[in-house]
Amino acid sequence: MSTKDSSILQKEWFKNSITIFIVFILLIIVLYPMAIQGLRPGGVDVIGSQGKTHQWKEFTDETGKRAFWNPPVFSGMPRYHRMNAQVFNLDKFIGDVLGGITYSMIWIYLIGFIGMFFLVKYFKLGYLPALLGGLGFIFIPHFMSLLNIGHFAKFRPIMYMPLVTFFFISFINKKNLLWLLGFIIAFTVQIRTQHYQILFYQLLILLFLGIYYLVQIIKAGNTKKFLLKIVLIIASSIFIILLVAQPLFVTAEYTPYSIRGGTGEEESTGLSLDYSSRWSFHPAEMLNFLMPRFFGGTSGEVYTGDEVQQLEGRQIPGYWGHMPFTQAYEYIGVLLVFLALVGLVLNFKNSFIKTLLGLFVLSLLLSFGRHFPLLYNLFFQNVPYFNKFRVPAMILVIIQFIIVIWAAYGLKSLLSLGKNPEKIKKAKTTVLIIAGVFIFLGLIPQLFGSSFSLEKAGEASQYKPEVISLFKSARLDMMQTDGLRLILFTALIAGACLLFIYKKVNKYIFAALVGVLLLVDLIPYIKKAEGDLYNMDKLEQRHFRKTNADKKLLQDESYYRIFPITENPFNNNDRSYYHNSIGGYSAAKLRIYQDIIENCLQRNPFNWNVHKMLNVKYFVATKQLPDDSLKPYYYDQQEKILIYQTMIEQQPAWFVGDIQVIQDRDERFRTINSDEFDPYKTAILEKEIDANIQAPDSSWAKVEKASFNEMKYKVYTDKPALLVVSEIYYPPGWKCYVDGEEKEIYKTDHILRSVFIDSSGEHEVEFKFHPDVFFTYYNVSKYAHIVLLGCLIAVIVVNIRKKKLNPSSQKTA
């Protein structure tokens, strides 16, 4: 490498470093409350997470042991499959080390900028387009909405997308193996976030770009290089799988048992089509890309207008679009979309742009979900794992990714017009046409807004007509305000472009105008999406303040569960903070439990067979419950909460002498719902067992230990009998020992466990949850990371030696 080349690289490295530092400072300023004041988003999923994690965190703090099973939610469900990757990697460094300096998500944002900045630079678009791309990507408001809601596991892999893509295409096109190792490390970290739907979209990006660049290699006649890259892609894929074996294979073990693994019906391997497509993106809602509140913004929009004074400053159900509800903005920004269209038009002959266009169209059509069933159903029925995903609108992340790249191309095209009259004429025409279209779109709310429905389906049954009228007026006001905003920003952006095209300003002033407009356009909606921020310790203490009702329930030290019906019991984890509940929320709960919820639990109005099975002792309600099987236990006057105790003597474990073998799923539900069925006398099994089961004349069962990974009972029976325990059946990991001897666990009453006690007398029965797959694949990941570290060191040493031995021939690869 020549001295001149070395000097250029040093200057480039210095300029890039200063840029990254300045962007970091900008993030600190924009996100000051989170970065400096220590405040955090407190969305519903954040609170929900605290509800279901509090007790196992206490267990871990007290014992130093990991909790693989979580008893407080859904009568107990696995959590080992959602445990973070345990082997130390870059993500742990970010969370544990950098997170100690400032909020870890600030660093993740910075990684998003770095990835997109260098990805655009790789396309040889130059520094200014790269800066636009990096800033445009991280300031898309939707991503801040994810933080506000608490979808951290979705936010993180999205921010890694540009970096993974950058390393991947660099590895394909460059010789240095450091690019391959960079891709392996980046993709490994992304997979460890465990948001497999976003990872599926990342694979789509890599597939399209990988095919494009490999085809270019073939066209160049370099068959040897093509074959080498294919071999390395296969080898690196296998290596990445080993690196992420935990959690990848652990999740794979759980998935078939969850609602993501099937509906429970024969041959079903995923979610139902209806459930998976509820959050489909309607084509009309593409207007939200340019006018964030065209369809009312979010379902909890704060109305800041002055046309409807009764609602001013209040949170209203703003969103009236086609999805059930939304907590996120789909706004991409006037400037980004404007420049993206400029880039698309002025570079349309570029085969790379056409490749991105193909991916763009595919992603957009898939986002339509049930509104474009021809394509969505095709993928749902035929593409592996696609039927395990929900929220088709989530694929819009690819749209956002591509628009940012096109916007960088648009800025580059304008900056490189030079004095070519044909290019100048085409650019001017393109800018004017796009501006005209945008202005027309901005006029739609003014001209036709009052003719739109402005009402969400079902609102007529929720609100009085006068209230709906106020909502509609506020929604129209927001739509029209955003229409005028679109017109204003279009005029400013088009004006800046034309000033530069006509040589009235130089490229630096033009770039500065573009940068200012980008920030002025997006940052206000970043702040709106940020929502309310909280001191999380104080928020947790306030939200989960121990009420008198909680204190009364906790006085009972026996082993029992509660049924909270103060809210939707299967969409809320609050009651699990202190108590073991039969309710909770999980997007991937156990299939067998969902079966009971859907088919058995809420009937007439209570199915006492199920409450017996689930060891329910107390009902928590906000209104009187009319049932002869309940008696008032306590009334919390301060919180207006009623606690009822069941008049049925609940049992955490019991012996039965009668079994019914029912293999048909629907027949099991009918039996459980039958008045003739008593789970304390009869057990429903799904296969014949070779055992002499008898009805005991004398028996008892006591819980000696109830913990997160273990249940221990002292039992007595005077005859060989079947012991049924009120614990959820999950075959991977649970083992049962009777007096130290391992015994088979039988699936009982569709959701419970039972074990045959083959001799009379007292026995010690112990259930232990030890998921072997977790420990096996943890070791695989650990040793793979050791190999990765060795490879990284070896490649670095080899590169250093090459530079020392032959410095004049070394060029940036």
Side-chain angles (χ1 to χ4, degrees):
M1 182 182 294
S2 68
T3 304
K4 182 179 179 180
D5 289 339
S6 177
S7 175
I8 291 172
L9 282 177
Q10 289 174 1
K11 288 180 181 178
E12 188 77 7
W13 176 88
F14 180 76
K15 183 167 71 171
N16 293 340
S17 300
I18 292 297
T19 300
I20 293 169
F21 176 75
I22 291 173
V23 170
F24 178 69
I25 298 300
L26 177 62
L27 284 168
I28 296 292
I29 295 170
V30 173
L31 306 178
Y32 179 84
M34 288 189 280
I36 303 299
Q37 295 179 315
L39 302 181
R40 298 291 180 264
V44 291
D45 281 18
V46 178
I47 295 297
S49 174
Q50 290 176 335
K52 71 179 178 181
T53 62
H54 173 70
Q55 291 197 56
W56 69 252
K57 285 181 178 178
E58 281 192 329
F59 168 79
T60 299
D61 291 341
E62 291 171 3
T63 66
K65 299 178 181 178
R66 290 177 289 205
F68 296 109
W69 187 263
N70 195 24
V73 292
F74 295 120
S75 305
M77 69 173 290
R79 67 164 300 268
Y80 73 107
H81 65 289
R82 290 300 299 166
M83 291 175 67
N84 293 333
Q86 301 295 298
V87 179
F88 188 83
N89 199 306
L90 180 63
D91 53 344
K92 284 191 172 290
F93 174 78
I94 294 169
D96 298 343
V97 180
L98 296 182
I101 300 172
T102 189
Y103 186 34
S104 61
M105 296 304 160
I106 305 293
W107 297 104
I108 303 297
Y109 257 128
L110 188 63
I111 289 173
F113 169 81
I114 292 170
M116 186 58 76
F117 178 77
F118 282 104
L119 180 61
V120 174
K121 283 179 71 71
Y122 176 85
F123 299 141
K124 302 189 186 317
L125 300 183
Y127 174 80
L128 293 175
L131 184 59
L132 171 76
L135 290 174
F137 181 72
I138 63 174
F139 284 144
I140 289 176
H142 181 86
F143 304 149
M144 176 53 70
S145 294
L146 298 179
L147 287 185
N148 171 259
I149 300 166
H151 289 182
F152 307 114
K154 188 187 300 182
F155 171 80
R156 288 161 55 215
I158 290 173
M159 286 296 113
Y160 288 127
M161 268 185 169
L163 191 66
V164 171
T165 306
F166 165 69
F167 276 120
F168 179 71
I169 62 177
S170 296
F171 141 65
I172 288 181
N173 292 289
K174 299 179 180 181
K175 295 180 180 180
N176 197 320
L177 285 178
L178 278 173
W179 298 111
L180 175 59
L181 291 177
F183 166 67
I184 291 172
I185 293 170
F187 200 23
T188 296
V189 172
Q190 189 184 41
I191 295 173
R192 283 159 61 103
T193 64
Q194 299 184 71
H195 201 293
Y196 298 105
Q197 190 165 347
I198 295 296
L199 292 170
F200 181 85
Y201 302 151
Q202 175 70 81
L203 287 172
L204 269 181
I205 294 172
L206 299 185
L207 176 65
F208 270 72
L209 298 190
I211 290 175
Y212 169 78
Y213 283 111
L214 289 172
V215 167
Q216 302 308 307
I217 293 173
I218 294 174
K219 285 182 177 180
N222 200 336
T223 306
K224 182 179 179 181
K225 180 181 178 181
F226 170 80
L227 293 174
L228 176 62
K229 294 300 180 181
I230 292 294
V231 169
L232 288 175
I233 287 173
I234 294 171
S236 62
S237 299
I238 295 171
F239 190 32
I240 289 170
I241 289 172
L242 295 177
L243 288 164
V244 297
Q246 186 278 319
L248 184 64
F249 288 108
V250 181
T251 302
E253 179 183 69
Y254 173 74
T255 299
Y257 295 92
S258 78
I259 59 175
R260 299 297 179 101
T263 63
E265 298 169 345
E266 191 174 351
E267 297 184 359
S268 174
T269 59
L271 299 168
S272 70
L273 181 60
D274 175 67
Y275 178 74
S276 72
S277 61
R278 286 178 188 172
W279 270 265
S280 296
F281 188 68
H282 193 278
E285 296 195 42
M286 291 173 64
L287 289 166
N288 286 333
F289 294 166
L290 295 169
M291 292 174 279
R293 297 176 301 174
F294 190 92
F295 280 91
T298 65
S299 296
E301 188 74 22
V302 176
Y303 176 65
T304 56
D306 53 14
E307 288 293 318
V308 188
Q309 294 183 358
Q310 299 96 315
L311 300 178
E312 191 172 347
R314 295 174 59 182
Q315 188 178 85
I316 65 170
Y319 179 70
W320 55 278
H322 298 79
M323 293 184 283
F325 64 85
T326 183
Q327 298 167 291
Y329 294 104
E330 299 301 345
Y331 183 58
I332 298 177
V334 182
L335 183 134
L336 284 177
V337 178
F338 191 102
L339 289 179
L341 291 174
V342 171
L344 177 62
V345 172
L346 298 185
N347 297 275
F348 192 73
K349 293 182 179 180
N350 186 327
S351 57
F352 177 72
I353 293 294
K354 290 180 179 178
T355 300
L356 289 180
L357 180 60
L359 178 58
F360 182 97
V361 172
L362 174 65
S363 302
L364 186 62
L365 294 178
L366 282 174
S367 76
F368 294 158
R370 59 187 173 90
H371 304 300
F372 191 64
L374 179 66
L375 181 64
Y376 186 80
N377 293 359
L378 181 68
F379 268 65
F380 188 86
Q381 294 165 5
N382 297 288
V383 175
Y385 301 104
F386 194 85
N387 64 359
K388 303 183 189 304
F389 303 146
R390 62 189 191 122
V391 189
M394 199 184 300
I395 201 173
L396 291 175
V397 66
I398 296 181
I399 302 295
Q400 295 153 349
F401 179 85
I402 293 173
I403 282 178
V404 168
I405 295 175
W406 281 348
Y409 268 92
L411 181 58
K412 172 64 175 178
S413 298
L414 293 174
L415 291 175
S416 59
L417 287 176
K419 297 181 180 180
N420 188 315
E422 289 186 8
K423 285 186 176 182
I424 292 173
K425 181 180 178 181
K426 186 176 181 180
K428 181 179 68 173
T429 303
T430 300
V431 167
L432 288 173
I433 291 175
I434 295 171
V437 172
F438 279 22
I439 290 171
F440 170 75
L441 293 175
L443 288 172
I444 289 177
Q446 324 303 322
L447 300 175
F448 310 108
S450 59
S451 66
F452 297 152
S453 73
L454 299 167
E455 183 178 340
K456 188 159 180 60
E459 284 187 335
S461 62
Q462 293 180 271
Y463 305 103
K464 296 179 179 179
E466 56 269 26
V467 175
I468 294 177
S469 179
L470 289 175
F471 288 163
K472 291 170 71 173
S473 297
R475 290 163 178 167
L476 178 61
D477 182 33
M478 291 188 292
M479 180 196 293
Q480 292 178 336
T481 299
D482 283 2
L484 293 174
R485 185 181 187 275
L486 170 58
I487 293 171
L488 173 62
F489 270 93
T490 298
L492 292 172
I493 295 163
C497 292
L498 292 173
L499 283 174
F500 178 71
I501 290 172
Y502 283 111
K503 309 298 182 183
K504 301 299 182 183
V505 296
N506 63 35
K507 70 174 185 177
Y508 298 107
I509 294 177
F510 173 57
L513 288 172
V514 168
V516 170
L517 287 172
L518 175 75
L519 298 180
V520 173
D521 184 13
L522 294 180
I523 286 180
Y525 270 89
I526 285 281
K527 300 307 290 182
K528 278 179 68 69
E530 185 180 64
D532 295 329
L533 299 174
Y534 306 89
N535 178 305
M536 291 311 297
D537 291 336
K538 292 181 179 179
L539 176 64
E540 183 175 359
Q541 291 171 8
R542 182 170 68 251
H543 188 84
F544 295 106
R545 177 181 57 84
K546 192 177 290 184
T547 65
N548 290 330
D550 291 323
K551 294 175 184 177
K552 182 65 176 178
L553 287 169
L554 292 170
Q555 288 176 4
D556 186 342
E557 296 183 356
S558 65
Y559 184 69
Y560 63 89
R561 296 190 182 97
I562 67 168
F563 184 27
I565 49 179
T566 54
E567 60 281 309
N568 183 344
F570 306 111
N571 197 35
N572 190 294
N573 291 313
D574 285 1
R575 298 291 164 182
S576 297
Y577 192 86
Y578 292 114
H579 314 287
N580 287 354
S581 171
I582 70 169
Y585 172 75
S586 171
K589 66 176 76 70
L590 283 166
R591 177 72 257 171
I592 55 173
Y593 205 86
Q594 183 67 22
D595 287 343
I596 294 297
I597 293 172
E598 292 175 350
N599 297 281
C600 304
L601 186 58
Q602 297 173 312
R603 297 170 64 91
N604 299 325
F606 304 117
N607 187 333
W608 287 106
N609 288 336
V610 176
H611 292 304
K612 284 181 178 180
M613 289 159 49
L614 296 180
N615 191 26
V616 176
K617 188 174 183 179
Y618 298 106
F619 285 65
V620 182
T622 54
K623 60 182 180 181
Q624 292 187 343
L625 301 179
D627 196 288
D628 294 338
S629 297
L630 293 171
K631 62 182 179 181
Y633 178 72
Y634 180 76
Y635 177 58
D636 186 337
Q637 292 184 337
Q638 185 176 358
E639 301 295 326
K640 309 299 181 187
I641 292 176
L642 289 155
I643 300 178
Y644 290 88
Q645 183 177 350
T646 63
M647 296 177 68
I648 299 168
E649 185 179 356
Q650 45 78 227
Q651 301 180 48
W654 58 91
F655 282 97
V656 298
D658 180 35
I659 64 170
Q660 294 183 38
V661 178
I662 306 176
Q663 297 180 346
D664 182 75
R665 176 173 172 265
D666 292 332
E667 181 62 27
R668 285 198 298 275
F669 299 150
R670 284 192 289 270
T671 303
I672 291 171
N673 293 334
S674 169
D675 292 336
E676 286 73 39
F677 174 70
D678 184 348
Y680 288 166
K681 296 179 180 178
T682 303
I684 301 171
L685 302 183
E686 297 181 25
K687 66 176 184 178
E688 297 282 355
I689 61 174
D690 184 17
N692 181 26
I693 296 174
Q694 303 176 42
D697 296 317
S698 176
S699 65
W700 49 260
K702 299 177 182 178
V703 176
E704 286 203 324
K705 182 179 182 180
S707 187
F708 283 77
N709 302 322
E710 183 181 8
M711 289 293 299
K712 186 181 291 186
Y713 305 84
K714 182 71 74 174
V715 303
Y716 169 79
T717 177
D718 62 350
K719 294 178 182 178
L722 191 71
L723 175 69
V724 181
V725 298
S726 180
E727 301 299 322
I728 303 303
Y729 178 79
Y730 180 70
W734 277 111
K735 292 180 173 59
C736 180
Y737 301 90
V738 178
D739 299 327
E741 183 180 353
E742 185 173 352
K743 297 289 185 178
E744 183 177 357
I745 300 173
Y746 302 106
K747 184 182 178 186
T748 307
D749 299 341
H750 196 74
I751 53 172
L752 301 183
R753 309 175 211 157
S754 66
V755 61
F756 177 57
I757 306 298
D758 57 9
S759 62
S760 60
E762 285 194 16
H763 301 276
E764 183 178 80
V765 179
E766 189 172 16
F767 289 86
K768 290 184 177 181
F769 190 62
H770 188 275
D772 293 334
V773 69
F774 176 90
F775 297 98
T776 298
Y777 287 112
Y778 167 78
N779 287 326
V780 171
S781 290
K782 180 175 68 175
Y783 294 125
H785 274 81
I786 293 172
V787 173
L788 174 64
L789 180 61
C791 291
L792 185 61
I793 293 172
V795 171
I796 291 173
V797 169
V798 169
N799 275 274
I800 291 173
R801 286 184 176 179
K802 281 185 177 180
K803 288 182 179 181
K804 286 183 178 179
L805 293 173
N806 197 8
S808 61
S809 66
Q810 293 302 308
K811 296 182 180 179
T812 305

